[in-house]
Amino acid sequence: NWDDESFLVANPLYRVLGWPQFRWMFTTCYMSSCMPLTWMTYSLDFVFWGMNPVGYHLTSLLIHAFNAVLFFFVSLRLLRLSVSSSNGSQQLPIRLAAGFAALFFALHPLQVEVVAWALGREMAVAGFFFFLNLICYLKAAENESMAAPRWRWMGAAWLFYAMSLLGKEVALTLPFALLVLDVYPSRRLGGGRGRWFGPQVRRVWWEKVPFLLLSLGAGVRAVLGKEGTGAVYPLAGYGLLPRVAQVLYSLAFYPGKTLLPLDLSPLYPLRGFTGIWEMQWLLSGAFVLTLSVGFFFVRQRWPGGLVAWIFYTLLLMPVSGILTFGPQLVADRFSYLPSLGWAVLLGAGLFYCWQLWLNRRINVKTLILTQSSAALLLVGLGILTWQQIRIWHDSERLWRHALALEERSSFAHNNLGLALAERGALEEAINHFRRAVQIDPMFVEAHINLGNFLAAKGSVQEAIAHLLKALEVDPAFAGAHNTLGNILANRGELDKAVEHFRKGLQAKPESA
């Protein structure tokens, strides 16, 4: 009961592949999410599987598997570009390094949320076309260096980028990330006089214009879609300094979880900001500053580190907290594309060990040790991923795990309460709703749920108090008016009940 119920189980709008459904997918940001190509995959699932969740999970797993294969080819091309020599003896090590990078990406526990959560598929669909875009773009750059036709490849890159944005707008900053790849490893920009803005590199800048226009269009549509449902927290209400702190925390969070993927949660709650001097913000800022300065100073000897860091930073920006939406501070799924550079760097490290061996700078035992360590790392990631998948078995297990990691999560208490109420554990459910409104007195849905189940239990007066509190926070919440109207009608207070039903219909005229 994360978002699957509202998006898939209770939503009939995607379940037929017809013109009205296509029009709805491409013109509606349903519940603030604009993802027409992802909706098309759900439609195909419904055609083949109905509402059997097995098929939906299988589709997500297959898309992720295809992404791993595509990422292998992206890694292979990037590693080949970074190696100046074309020695034939290096081809096997490069392929092994690219294979390790692809498996590191595919098996990492951070990807569980994208695959095991039905609605997390949006990231995988966007990623599929994102990888195709990178393959075509790098091929176009390679053809340019060989004086071969390149515009067909570049046109395909533009098309796949548009399709990635139609899956989910998670790569809005890709045009700037591509410029980083143009500097290294493609070496199309920089490196000499006139190599930044001179006539010989002007086409490198012009080819980014279609990418930028697509990004701007998708970005405006996404922001308007989220603002239309109130999902974006206004700057005046949330503040600039908390957003800066959240961005720094996001930049530090994902590299840490990539290296040590423990205590992963479906929800890292966004809590009230009490000052920039909190330890988590200070440590995050220090980490980001240290990494940035460190990569900058070793850029001549190791340009790949700085490139991976900038690429990661740029791709993370849209989901880093600059625009704050939803109850999460960070989310595992947000790392799906930005953290790809770390996998490539690890693969490059394995390839470097092979180079040292070929140059007789290390012996064969050391080479075997490094390759065996890499294999053991993949096995360890697989075990951690298997354990993380089990957490997503059902709603109750998911939210109990989230609360074990962070008890002060009002959202997790509310969702656990709903799961408990569904299986009839009403008393325990009410306790979790009470805890949710205790943590966040402005949490409208938790007040409504508490009111609903208190009324079902017979505590009518207390139920009315919580529903009135919900309407005090959000006077236009139709569900609160409806529930309150039903309670009042049952008590015989028909005039008051009718008044609340009218207000509910004013707020939501389509409510049956």
Side-chain angles (χ1 to χ4, degrees):
N1 66 1
W2 209 165
D3 275 339
D4 292 354
E5 289 183 352
S6 51
F7 273 85
L8 299 175
V9 178
N11 177 17
L13 298 172
Y14 68 93
R15 297 181 189 174
V16 181
L17 279 173
W19 172 246
Q21 286 71 34
F22 283 126
R23 185 175 59 185
W24 172 79
M25 293 174 193
F26 281 88
T27 59
T28 305
C29 289
Y30 184 71
M31 294 182 66
S32 81
S33 290
C34 312
M35 49 179 194
L37 290 186
T38 303
W39 281 119
M40 290 180 68
T41 66
Y42 292 135
S43 292
L44 289 171
D45 278 335
F46 183 79
V47 168
F48 286 104
W49 300 90
M51 293 305 291
N52 185 343
V54 171
Y56 292 74
H57 289 300
L58 178 61
T59 300
S60 295
L61 184 62
L62 288 174
I63 294 172
H64 180 62
F66 280 121
N67 286 351
V69 174
L70 293 174
F71 183 51
F72 166 79
F73 291 107
V74 172
S75 302
L76 187 64
R77 195 166 293 277
L78 289 172
L79 290 169
R80 282 175 173 167
L81 284 170
S82 65
V83 178
S84 54
S85 171
S86 59
N87 188 344
S89 63
Q90 294 183 333
Q91 293 309 306
L92 176 60
I94 286 180
R95 287 182 176 275
L96 289 173
F100 172 81
L103 287 171
F104 183 87
F105 159 75
L107 293 172
H108 201 284
L110 279 174
Q111 320 304 6
V112 168
E113 186 169 287
V114 173
V115 183
W117 179 25
L119 205 67
R121 182 192 299 178
E122 57 191 10
M123 297 291 177
V125 173
F128 178 78
F129 296 107
F130 175 88
F131 290 128
L132 288 173
N133 157 75
L134 283 183
I135 290 171
C136 293
Y137 183 82
L138 293 170
K139 182 64 176 177
E142 178 186 318
N143 282 13
E144 178 188 54
S145 64
M146 299 169 59
R150 59 186 287 272
W151 287 111
R152 282 181 297 178
W153 287 105
M154 190 59 68
W158 294 332
L159 175 63
F160 286 130
Y161 181 52
M163 296 177 77
S164 175
L165 294 173
L166 291 173
K168 185 68 176 177
E169 321 87 344
V170 291
L172 292 172
T173 48
L174 179 68
F176 306 101
L178 292 177
L179 287 172
V180 178
L181 297 182
D182 287 332
V183 176
Y184 184 86
S186 294
R187 300 178 177 87
R188 301 172 71 209
L189 281 177
R193 186 179 179 87
R195 291 289 297 170
W196 284 105
F197 299 102
Q200 55 186 323
V201 296
R202 198 168 291 157
R203 62 182 175 275
V204 177
W205 292 95
W206 276 110
E207 71 193 17
K208 302 299 183 298
V209 173
F211 287 112
L212 195 58
L213 292 175
L214 290 168
S215 173
L216 286 172
V220 170
R221 184 170 186 261
V223 171
L224 291 176
K226 290 188 180 300
E227 280 192 339
T229 58
V232 177
Y233 295 4
L235 188 61
Y238 188 56
L240 180 60
L241 197 57
R243 294 193 182 192
V244 172
Q246 186 176 349
V247 169
L248 292 174
Y249 184 84
S250 296
L251 288 171
F253 176 83
Y254 300 107
K257 289 299 184 183
T258 299
L259 289 174
L260 196 64
L262 301 175
D263 294 337
L264 301 180
S265 175
L267 180 64
Y268 306 90
L270 182 66
R271 294 195 298 271
F273 181 77
T274 58
I276 196 68
W277 303 111
E278 280 187 61
M279 189 56 68
Q280 64 174 349
W281 312 130
L282 290 176
L283 290 176
S284 300
F287 178 86
V288 171
L289 180 63
T290 301
L291 222 57
S292 301
V293 172
F295 282 137
F296 180 78
F297 276 115
V298 299
R299 70 190 185 282
Q300 298 297 336
R301 293 183 58 190
W302 188 37
L306 184 60
V307 165
W309 176 243
I310 297 175
F311 187 86
Y312 159 76
T313 302
L314 288 171
L315 281 183
L316 188 67
M317 277 299 115
V319 291
S320 65
I322 287 182
L323 277 178
T324 304
F325 53 89
Q328 68 278 334
L329 178 63
V330 289
D332 293 352
R333 62 189 179 279
F334 292 165
S335 70
Y336 195 76
L337 298 182
S339 295
L340 296 170
W342 309 130
V344 177
L345 279 188
L346 288 172
L350 280 185
F351 173 70
Y352 181 66
C353 292
W354 276 90
Q355 281 189 311
L356 293 176
W357 178 68
L358 290 171
N359 295 329
R360 302 182 186 280
R361 294 172 62 185
I362 61 172
N363 58 36
V364 68
K365 289 183 178 179
T366 305
L367 177 67
I368 292 173
L369 178 64
T370 58
Q371 308 304 302
S372 301
S373 299
L376 287 174
L377 174 61
L378 294 178
V379 172
L381 290 176
I383 293 170
L384 290 174
T385 291
W386 180 263
Q387 293 174 342
Q388 188 68 16
I389 288 168
R390 296 170 66 189
I391 291 163
W392 288 84
H393 181 270
D394 56 74
S395 301
E396 187 174 334
R397 189 182 300 183
L398 184 74
W399 298 116
R400 287 195 188 280
H401 172 77
L403 288 172
L405 296 176
E406 176 52 83
E407 195 279 333
R408 288 188 57 81
S409 173
S410 59
F411 204 93
H413 277 291
N414 180 71
N415 281 21
L416 178 56
L418 289 171
L420 290 166
E422 188 174 352
R423 71 169 173 84
L426 198 57
E427 199 65 46
E428 190 181 356
I430 287 173
N431 289 337
H432 281 285
F433 293 132
R434 287 192 196 280
R435 182 63 180 136
V437 298
Q438 182 185 6
I439 295 168
D440 182 6
M442 309 297 283
F443 193 177
V444 174
E445 288 86 350
H447 278 292
I448 293 172
N449 290 330
L450 183 53
N452 272 327
F453 292 109
L454 283 171
K457 188 187 167 192
S459 303
V460 175
Q461 208 57 45
E462 189 183 357
I464 291 174
H466 282 286
L467 291 165
L468 289 174
K469 177 62 179 178
L471 289 173
E472 181 184 319
V473 177
D474 185 359
F477 204 103
H481 283 294
N482 184 56
T483 302
L484 191 52
N486 283 321
I487 292 173
L488 292 169
N490 289 335
R491 295 180 66 182
E493 301 178 41
L494 300 183
D495 290 339
K496 289 183 180 179
V498 168
E499 181 184 347
H500 281 288
F501 290 138
R502 289 193 194 281
K503 288 180 180 178
L505 286 170
Q506 287 171 6
K508 192 176 180 181
E510 72 276 14
S511 176

